[in-house]
Amino acid sequence: MTSRVVVDVMPKPEILDPQGQAIQKALGRMGFAAVSAVRQGKRFEVEIDGEVDAAALAQVEQMAETLLANTVIEEFVVRVEQ
């Protein structure tokens, strides 16, 4: 059995997101005028052998802190996907 843990990484709110701004402008040009803001992030899916316990979740959080996210400018959320 394997379990999936998802790590969502987003720029911190105070960090300028030029990619998100470019997407927002493109959407406006395409007729999606109601879009007022877009923030672009990253999603990582980590497969874990067996069930996810507190130790496995802590390891994924350590992975996110050390490799998956730049914690100076990004924040992350770790969750188990059902």
Side-chain angles (χ1 to χ4, degrees):
M1 173 187 159
T2 60
S3 300
R4 178 175 294 159
V5 179
V6 175
V7 180
D8 291 310
V9 180
M10 294 294 293
K12 289 182 177 180
E14 63 271 15
I15 299 298
L16 187 64
D17 182 6
Q19 290 175 315
Q21 290 174 342
I23 293 167
Q24 176 199 357
K25 289 177 185 176
L27 289 171
R29 288 190 302 271
M30 295 172 70
F32 299 102
V35 177
S36 60
V38 174
R39 307 263 313 152
Q40 181 177 345
K42 302 177 275 191
R43 172 187 164 117
F44 298 92
E45 295 180 356
V46 180
E47 298 286 332
I48 303 290
D49 290 332
E51 292 189 37
V52 177
D53 57 10
L57 207 53
Q59 278 193 328
V60 175
E61 287 194 17
Q62 185 178 11
M63 292 174 205
E65 282 185 39
T66 58
L67 179 65
L68 304 179
N70 176 350
T71 56
V72 173
I73 61 170
E74 295 173 320
E75 54 192 14
F76 64 90
V77 175
V78 176
R79 60 187 167 82
V80 179
E81 189 170 80
Q82 302 300 329

